[in-house]
Amino acid sequence: MMTRRGFLGFAGAVIATALGMACTQEERPVTTPTPEVVEKVVEKEVVKPLPAPPWEYKKLNPDKVAELAYQGYMGKTFDGEKLPGKACCFGAFYAIVKSLADEVGSPYTEFLPVASIATVGEGGLVGWASLCGALNGAAWAIWLITPEEEAKKIIDELYAWYMYEELPKYKPPKAMKAELEPFPTSVANSVLCHASVTNWCKASGYKAFSAERSERCGRLTADVAKKAVELLNAVHEGTFVPAYPLDEKTKSCKGCHTKGSALENTRGKMACWSCHTKEGALRIEEVEGHPKI
Amino acid sequence: MMTRRGFLGFAGAVIATALGMACTQEERPVTTPTPEVVEKVVEKEVVKPLPAPPWEYKKLNPDKVAELAYQGYMGKTFDGEKLPGKACCFGAFYAIVKSLADEVGSPYTEFLPVASIATVGEGGLVGWASLCGALNGAAWAIWLITPEEEAKKIIDELYAWYMYEELPKYKPPKAMKAELEPFPTSVANSVLCHASVTNWCKASGYKAFSAERSERCGRLTADVAKKAVELLNAVHEGTFVPAYPLDEKTKSCKGCHTKGSALENTRGKMACWSCHTKEGALRIEEVEGHPKI
């Protein structure tokens, strides 16, 4: 028998024990719960760097590239649509790179907006009349596309062809600067804009800043781009055979004057007689009646 | 007074109540805790076209660019780390573009792998000795960075400075090809590799394919890159003042021979007398005892 007091004491103890047991024995979260970790994926756009050249090449249509180069020179299409650059160097560079953006896609497509910088090569580099812009632009494009060894062979062939060939040959569907029939041609004997232009002006009778001379350079740009693509195609197919060695006189000069020779006092592949003869480069004193400077 | 049976019944009820109360009345976390969100950044590479130049410019340190250009020419750093190109054109182009990739970041960073194509400009373009590669590469870089009008002014100044200045001036911390003290200098009188190299060989006595000539061109590349950056900085700050006009003789020639003149039979800014005088360009027949070609 238990007294009331005894019971209360006992009941209290029971309750306390029950409480103590209740919330410890059962596994109920009583401490700070471990939060559930949820991953929120945040995409950060990082522009992919362009891959290191050379890039992929696919055979191009030389005539189509010629047509695009001519329009590139003119700074607009035959339909009057503005292009992102102009003149010789841009014409050649853009025609090749744009054609590959169409044929191959990436990375030419991502690179294409940069092609506008080739405008720098205009008139032998910002009008300095040094290296012909079409040749300069074509060379940079070739190096983008082909491994070094092949690129050098292509450029050597292209430059020699340019020196010795009667040009221009290209005929646009519609002349954008001047229509002349037949169109006057000349042999440059040089890769330099200065000599190339002067020789054409001499042969044609047109002035150096005329629309006709501009038309000539536009067509020449088309010829250069076309030739570059023909060479790229040939190398791509494994059918390339050099057909434009340096002329015999130049080779003879180089034999004593360039690499490994007795004198070894200069460098280059430009036709020497183009500057180092009276026929090549007149002097003031040789021109009768020429004012003294 | 309670019987034992009565007590147990009562105690049981108390315990049950206590249990029931214990874990409901108190505010203990029983529901799912708020999850902790952890952001995980995942870089997603997107293929994006490069933006159309010109791009952003930030003032560069000309001496640092010079040092990088010299190493670019050599194709490796002072520590022997290979660089993605070599020679004059690459040296100048790469030094400027890489420096801007470091200072500005995008889009130079994405473009940078393409800089290797500037190797094409070596030796006046694949050894043709036409336009000096350092000048060629610098010009393309300038056009990438600056709007056309300013770019033309910078290039005109850079090219004229190159023609008339006694060079090289740059001194590497450690010569990579040849150490000569003092280092021979010369005046190019031309933007053409052929004439520029020949004049230095004449002045220094070293051969055209020697290590000394290579060292000279490496230092010259550094000078060109440094000058280009000085001009870019000046234009950027609005302090550019042209200081290298064409020489008086050349201006005089141009007065009758180039744009808008009476004859208008040529183009260019190269110093005419550099080729069109006996002092400028010797002919075979003028060299005593020279073999006929």
Side-chain angles (χ1 to χ4, degrees):
Chain A
M1 298 299 279
M2 203 181 272
T3 62
R4 194 176 296 118
R5 194 177 291 119
F7 170 73
L8 286 172
F10 178 72
V14 166
I15 289 165
T17 310
L19 281 168
M21 282 169 66
C23 299
T24 47
Q25 272 188 4
E26 282 188 24
E27 278 169 39
R28 287 202 166 166
V30 293
T31 52
T32 322
T34 315
E36 198 184 320
V37 175
V38 170
E39 231 175 44
K40 183 183 170 195
V41 176
V42 172
E43 276 185 352
K44 182 186 164 195
E45 278 197 349
V46 169
V47 180
K48 211 175 171 185
L50 291 171
W55 297 340
E56 190 190 339
Y57 184 72
K58 273 196 185 149
K59 196 170 166 181
L60 297 175
N61 180 325
D63 290 313
K64 283 199 151 65
V65 175
E67 202 149 272
L68 186 55
Y70 177 83
Q71 293 168 92
Y73 175 93
M74 298 298 171
K76 59 184 181 187
T77 66
F78 288 116
D79 299 325
E81 182 194 321
K82 198 173 190 295
L83 290 170
K86 66 176 173 76
C88 41
C89 187
F90 171 79
F93 186 76
Y94 177 78
I96 296 169
V97 174
K98 172 70 165 72
S99 302
L100 286 166
D102 292 343
E103 282 299 305
V104 174
S106 203
Y108 295 100
T109 326
E110 291 77 58
F111 172 76
L112 193 61
V114 180
S116 65
I117 70 171
T119 300
V120 70
E122 173 172 12
L125 214 296
V126 182
W128 275 74
S130 64
L131 176 61
C132 167
L135 290 177
N136 199 3
W140 284 70
I142 288 161
W143 212 270
L144 192 59
I145 296 162
T146 334
E148 278 197 29
E149 280 318 297
E150 283 96 335
K152 284 179 183 176
K153 287 180 188 152
I154 293 172
I155 292 166
D156 277 349
E157 181 83 345
L158 179 70
Y159 281 35
W161 161 88
Y162 179 99
M163 283 203 299
Y164 304 127
E165 197 83 349
E166 186 89 27
L167 295 166
K169 287 183 158 65
Y170 174 75
K171 204 170 149 63
K174 187 183 86 182
M176 285 208 229
K177 293 264 181 178
E179 186 59 83
L180 301 166
E181 190 58 55
F183 200 91
T185 59
S186 63
V187 178
N189 292 327
S190 175
V191 294
L192 304 181
C193 168
H194 172 75
S196 178
V197 163
T198 302
N199 279 358
W200 185 84
C201 290
K202 224 190 290 186
S204 70
Y206 290 98
K207 291 192 170 181
F209 288 79
S210 64
E212 289 81 5
R213 195 284 313 154
S214 186
E215 179 71 29
R216 175 263 185 180
C217 288
R219 297 181 184 211
L220 187 59
T221 300
D223 288 327
V224 167
K226 177 175 174 172
K227 184 70 179 172
V229 164
E230 286 172 343
L231 295 171
L232 284 161
N233 286 348
V235 164
H236 188 69
E237 290 171 341
T239 59
F240 173 63
V241 177
Y244 287 87
L246 294 181
D247 66 274
E248 290 308 313
K249 281 188 188 169
T250 299
K251 282 202 269 194
S252 174
C253 298
K254 280 163 72 67
C256 288
H257 286 280
T258 69
K259 192 170 187 178
S261 65
L263 292 163
E264 202 186 282
N265 56 354
T266 199
R267 296 173 69 94
K269 303 175 194 175
M270 304 190 284
C272 316
W273 42 266
S274 180
C275 287
H276 291 285
T277 59
K278 187 172 174 178
E279 297 73 34
L282 275 175
R283 292 173 182 164
I284 295 159
E285 52 270 35
E286 292 164 338
V287 181
E288 207 178 302
H290 195 289
K292 281 200 195 302
I293 54 152
Chain B
M1 296 298 278
M2 203 178 273
T3 62
R4 193 174 294 120
R5 197 178 288 120
F7 171 74
L8 286 171
F10 180 71
V14 166
I15 288 165
T17 310
L19 280 168
M21 285 169 64
C23 300
T24 47
Q25 273 187 2
E26 283 188 25
E27 279 168 36
R28 289 200 167 164
V30 291
T31 51
T32 322
T34 316
E36 192 182 308
V37 177
V38 171
E39 273 194 3
K40 185 179 172 188
V41 177
V42 170
E43 282 191 349
K44 184 181 169 194
E45 270 198 339
V46 289
V47 173
K48 232 177 171 180
L50 290 171
W55 297 339
E56 188 189 343
Y57 183 72
K58 272 194 185 149
K59 196 173 167 180
L60 296 174
N61 180 326
D63 290 313
K64 283 198 153 64
V65 176
E67 200 147 275
L68 186 55
Y70 176 82
Q71 294 169 91
Y73 175 95
M74 299 298 170
K76 59 184 181 186
T77 66
F78 288 116
D79 299 326
E81 183 193 319
K82 199 172 188 295
L83 290 171
K86 65 177 172 78
C88 41
C89 188
F90 170 78
F93 186 76
Y94 177 78
I96 297 169
V97 174
K98 172 70 165 76
S99 302
L100 286 166
D102 292 342
E103 283 298 307
V104 175
S106 203
Y108 296 100
T109 328
E110 291 78 55
F111 172 77
L112 193 60
V114 180
S116 64
I117 70 171
T119 299
V120 70
E122 171 171 14
L125 213 297
V126 183
W128 275 73
S130 65
L131 176 61
C132 167
L135 290 177
N136 200 3
W140 284 70
I142 288 162
W143 212 269
L144 192 58
I145 296 162
T146 334
E148 279 197 29
E149 280 319 297
E150 283 97 333
K152 285 178 181 175
K153 287 181 187 149
I154 292 172
I155 292 165
D156 277 349
E157 180 82 346
L158 180 69
Y159 280 35
W161 161 87
Y162 179 98
M163 284 203 296
Y164 304 126
E165 196 84 347
E166 186 88 29
L167 294 166
K169 286 184 160 65
Y170 173 75
K171 204 171 149 64
K174 187 184 86 181
M176 286 208 228
K177 293 262 182 180
E179 185 60 84
L180 302 166
E181 189 60 53
F183 201 90
T185 59
S186 62
V187 178
N189 292 326
S190 175
V191 294
L192 304 181
C193 169
H194 173 75
S196 178
V197 163
T198 301
N199 280 356
W200 185 84
C201 289
K202 225 189 291 187
S204 69
Y206 289 99
K207 291 190 170 183
F209 288 79
S210 63
E212 289 83 4
R213 196 282 315 152
S214 186
E215 179 70 31
R216 174 262 185 180
C217 288
R219 296 182 184 211
L220 187 60
T221 299
D223 287 327
V224 167
K226 177 175 175 174
K227 185 70 179 172
V229 164
E230 287 172 343
L231 295 171
L232 284 162
N233 286 348
V235 164
H236 189 68
E237 291 174 338
T239 58
F240 173 63
V241 177
Y244 287 87
L246 295 180
D247 66 275
E248 290 307 314
K249 281 188 188 170
T250 299
K251 284 202 268 194
S252 175
C253 298
K254 279 163 72 68
C256 289
H257 287 280
T258 69
K259 192 171 187 176
S261 65
L263 292 164
E264 203 188 280
N265 56 354
T266 198
R267 297 172 70 95
K269 303 175 193 174
M270 303 190 285
C272 317
W273 42 266
S274 180
C275 288
H276 290 284
T277 59
K278 189 172 173 178
E279 297 72 35
L282 275 175
R283 291 172 183 166
I284 296 159
E285 51 269 33
E286 291 164 338
V287 181
E288 208 178 303
H290 195 290
K292 280 200 195 307
I293 54 154

